[in-house]
Amino acid sequence: MDDLWTRTHQVSAAALASGALQPIATECLTLRENGIPFAIRILGSLADKERARERLARAGRQDVDPFLPPDPALLVSEAGPAHLCVLNKYCVIEHHLLLVTRAYEPQRRVLNAADFAALATCLADGPAMAFYNSGPEAGASQTHKHLQLLPRGDAMTLPFEPLLTRAATRGSPTAPEMAFAHRLVALPDGLLARPAQAAGWLHRCYRELLEAQHLVVAADGSVTHPYNLLLTESWLMLVPRRRERTGTVSINALGFAGALLVKSREQAEALRREGLMRALVSVAG
């Protein structure tokens, strides 16, 4: 595969120019709670996204899968025989990629060796944050299996990363400052620079984390309990989920790295009143 992030920049520029890529503007606030930082993004206009939904509804196509096939203008790269990398059409963070299966698989299905081979291939091309929302209760908005990738840089801050990295490098299965249910493991140094080795290691570790959190793979290949998975070059973390929302705020995997998304300042204030860590605790487990 060509350098993934160079290709992502090129395709993003063309898709922006054509209107195929429709970013959603946000304002980012940093709040601290008991000394722990949180990044709160407040959405701008959702008008374009809502108009797209209305067009599909009027056409009687509410069950359309946007990945079968993906919009050619958003296609960045192939990622092995079973996966494609596509731009997130309604991105909040620049250069947000979706790693989707070429053929339909349910989002609830357990991640397999091919998923991790594709993921490792992508991560070998530069530092990125990968995450997975296992179903609607974990914050997934599409039922077609997809992982997500965000390039590391100024636009992508992970407020909890120093705390998680410190715990992982000490060999702790949890970060003591993180009150929500989770399981954490450190990656060997330089693992992601070796895609074939990384794929096997990550797959084995993922299955061990599922087992450690008592998450069962059913006969149909689905995981019987929702969860989020987060991956950096330093650690892998699994968070079991109880529900998608706290109040009216939906929380996906990035919430457990300290990055939350809200639709309004009123929602941000409601979260602050509830307690930001308490909100994460309420949806995990």
Side-chain angles (χ1 to χ4, degrees):
M1 165 165 76
D2 293 337
D3 179 80
L4 176 65
W5 298 111
T6 298
R7 177 74 178 149
T8 298
H9 281 250
Q10 293 168 347
V11 175
S12 294
L16 276 171
S18 70
L21 184 64
Q22 298 181 23
I24 298 171
T26 62
E27 174 190 1
C28 193
L29 305 176
T30 299
L31 301 178
R32 299 188 76 86
E33 181 179 270
N34 298 322
I36 298 174
F38 291 76
I40 313 295
R41 287 183 178 271
I42 303 172
L43 286 176
S45 173
L46 290 174
D48 290 341
K49 196 168 188 177
E50 291 303 321
R51 280 196 293 269
R53 288 176 176 166
E54 289 168 8
R55 286 196 296 270
L56 291 176
R58 285 197 299 271
R61 301 169 60 212
Q62 296 181 53
D63 60 346
V64 161
D65 184 339
F67 307 140
L68 279 179
D71 183 342
L74 301 177
L75 177 61
V76 173
S77 179
E78 297 183 345
H83 294 78
L84 299 171
C85 279
V86 300
L87 292 170
N88 181 355
K89 181 179 182 71
Y90 300 107
C91 58
V92 169
I93 297 171
E94 191 176 31
H95 304 138
H96 182 175
L97 291 180
L98 308 177
L99 180 61
V100 307
T101 55
R102 293 176 189 257
Y104 179 81
E105 291 185 41
Q107 186 73 356
R108 293 182 184 275
R109 187 167 292 173
V110 68
L111 297 173
N112 56 38
D115 296 320
F116 282 102
L119 181 60
T121 298
C122 293
L123 292 173
D125 272 349
M129 166 81 177
F131 62 98
Y132 184 66
N133 307 315
S134 74
E137 301 94 336
S141 60
Q142 296 293 338
T143 63
H144 184 136
K145 187 197 270 188
H146 61 287
L147 293 101
Q148 305 190 50
L149 293 161
L150 290 165
R152 303 297 296 278
D154 293 341
M156 182 61 241
T157 57
L158 301 174
F160 295 172
E161 182 174 18
L163 299 173
L164 293 167
T165 300
R166 183 170 63 192
T169 54
R170 289 176 176 174
S172 173
T174 59
E177 300 88 351
M178 304 293 101
F180 53 85
H182 66 286
R183 196 81 174 187
L184 183 68
V185 65
L187 270 63
D189 288 344
L191 177 69
L192 297 182
R194 307 185 297 275
Q197 183 179 345
W201 190 95
L202 291 169
H203 188 206
R204 288 191 300 273
C205 188
Y206 160 70
R207 295 301 294 253
E208 290 168 2
L209 288 175
L210 289 178
E211 184 176 349
Q213 293 287 54
H214 309 292
L215 306 187
V216 177
V217 180
D220 65 357
S222 64
V223 179
T224 57
H225 192 88
Y227 64 94
N228 295 119
L229 194 71
L230 300 93
L231 171 65
T232 71
E233 63 272 16
S234 300
W235 46 261
L236 178 67
M237 181 170 70
L238 188 144
V239 180
R241 291 295 297 268
R242 180 180 299 132
R243 56 178 172 267
E244 177 199 359
R245 294 175 180 272
T246 176
T248 60
V249 178
S250 176
I251 295 177
N252 71 6
L254 292 180
F256 301 102
L260 295 159
L261 181 67
V262 298
K263 294 181 179 179
S264 65
R265 285 188 170 274
E266 290 75 19
Q267 283 192 337
E269 177 59 22
L271 270 182
R272 188 195 63 76
R273 289 196 304 268
E274 177 184 357
L276 298 167
M277 190 62 73
R278 182 179 297 176
L280 297 180
V281 170
S282 75
V283 298

